[in-house]
Amino acid sequence: MSFGWGSLRVAATATVVTSVLIIVTGGVVRVTGSGLGCPTWPSCTGEGLAPTPEMGIHGAIEFGNRLLTVVLCVAVGALIIVARCQREPDRAVLRAAWLQFWIIVLNALVGGVTVLARLSPYVVAAHLIAAMLLLTAAVYTFELVERLDRSTATATADPALAVRARWLVAATAVLVVIGTAVTGSGVHAGDSSDVHRMPFDWTTMVIIHAVAAVVTFAVAVSSLLIARRSGADSVASRASVFIALLLAQGFVGVLQSVGVAAEALVVVHMLGAALIWAGALRVLFATDPGLGGSRAAFHASVAETSRI
């Protein structure tokens, strides 16, 4: 039995979507004060995996977030099976799919430590970083799968543009990490209940976060300009999407900083963080024809040679 490229692309897309959802639902857990809705781990209570009716909505929300990890495992498992059952299995895609599986295990362990540490803001921040690491692997896998189709092999080998793309990823990573400090020192450090906060001045962290966003925006614009000047249409397109996402995220951040519907916007901001991180990675990957050292990379290299 074998699956076609279309099935592989659907499976890879599913892992990206579920990776984003796990980040978003983490935000829901946070703003609803459900971080300790299941007070133990790996079970929800001392007696069983599922919450009891007495635990109310908080137990249901936290348990729902844990169940999404099961959905994510199913999606990654399906990706592994479909990748393995291709007529010509690509080793790089298989390795990337298995990498996602092991990062899920890591993320689950960090989630358990988060509960056992009673929502320490530092561990909550580590939990988000682990989720972003999973998203990185999912986007990387999706990129490899896209390149298995010769018609989508649009990476460009421009050394200057590749350097700028690496700057963009680094700036975005710093932006995300500082964002965890903003949250950790603010109202929703880990829960809406009485939990410890990071010992930083929240206003100062917001200003630093804003400066980091401006730097990231400047790098993105310069990447777009270089891409257009060098005729790298794929990079230019992805950089344009990134800039649009970053501007939208900045608007949400401004609303949060002035206290407009702060709780609801936390979830939107978490979604934005996931999307801009994925967007930065997509810009980087578009500058590297040799991504993965696989048949996907070979197709991209052929396309680049033909373009030149």
Side-chain angles (χ1 to χ4, degrees):
M1 180 179 180
S2 62
F3 294 94
W5 175 82
S7 299
L8 185 59
R9 192 176 192 275
V10 169
T13 301
T15 63
V16 173
V17 172
T18 49
S19 295
V20 171
L21 285 177
I22 204 75
I23 293 172
V24 173
T25 56
V28 173
V29 170
R30 177 178 294 175
V31 300
T32 58
S34 304
L36 293 177
C38 288
T40 62
W41 186 90
S43 62
C44 189
T45 67
E47 291 75 32
L49 290 174
T52 62
E54 292 75 19
M55 298 172 71
I57 187 64
H58 296 308
I61 291 174
E62 168 61 10
F63 186 65
N65 183 245
R66 294 186 184 187
L67 282 181
L68 189 57
T69 300
V70 177
V71 175
L72 185 55
C73 286
V74 171
V76 172
L79 173 62
I80 293 172
I81 293 172
V82 173
R84 184 66 185 85
C85 292
Q86 293 290 296
R87 291 182 179 86
E88 297 180 54
D90 188 90
R91 291 184 177 181
V93 173
L94 276 169
R95 287 195 298 266
W98 275 108
L99 177 62
Q100 288 187 61
F101 173 78
W102 291 114
I103 296 176
I104 291 172
V105 174
L106 170 65
N107 205 28
L109 292 175
V110 175
V113 173
T114 303
V115 173
L116 298 177
R118 316 313 291 174
L119 303 179
S120 163
Y122 299 102
V123 184
V124 170
H127 197 22
L128 174 62
I129 298 303
M132 289 294 191
L133 182 61
L134 175 60
L135 179 58
T136 301
V139 173
Y140 173 73
T141 307
F142 179 81
E143 183 74 22
L144 289 175
V145 170
E146 270 203 320
R147 294 190 187 191
L148 290 174
D149 179 14
R150 295 175 186 272
S151 65
T152 60
T154 55
T156 181
D158 184 331
L161 189 54
V163 170
R164 197 57 55 91
R166 287 194 287 271
W167 288 3
L168 179 62
V169 169
T172 306
V174 170
L175 182 64
V176 170
V177 171
I178 295 176
T180 65
V182 173
T183 301
S185 58
V187 176
H188 298 291
D191 196 296
S192 58
S193 60
D194 185 21
V195 298
H196 293 294
R197 303 294 192 255
M198 291 181 179
F200 308 129
D201 179 72
W202 183 78
T203 302
T204 301
M205 295 310 303
V206 168
I207 294 173
I208 294 174
H209 190 51
V211 171
V214 171
V215 171
T216 303
F217 177 77
V219 176
V221 170
S222 65
S223 299
L224 174 61
L225 294 177
I226 293 174
R228 286 180 174 174
R229 187 167 61 246
S230 60
D233 295 338
S234 177
V235 180
S237 176
R238 296 184 184 189
S240 297
V241 171
F242 176 86
I243 290 171
L245 290 171
L246 186 62
L247 289 174
Q249 180 78 332
F251 178 71
V252 173
V254 169
L255 292 179
Q256 283 184 283
S257 66
V258 299
V260 177
E263 291 188 2
L265 289 178
V266 168
V267 178
V268 177
H269 205 61
M270 295 288 282
L271 173 62
L275 293 180
I276 66 168
W277 176 243
L281 293 172
R282 291 277 286 169
V283 173
L284 175 65
F285 295 153
T287 67
D288 184 8
L291 185 71
S294 62
R295 287 191 298 114
F298 172 75
H299 290 167
S301 298
V302 169
E304 174 61 20
T305 301
S306 300
R307 188 179 69 84
I308 294 174

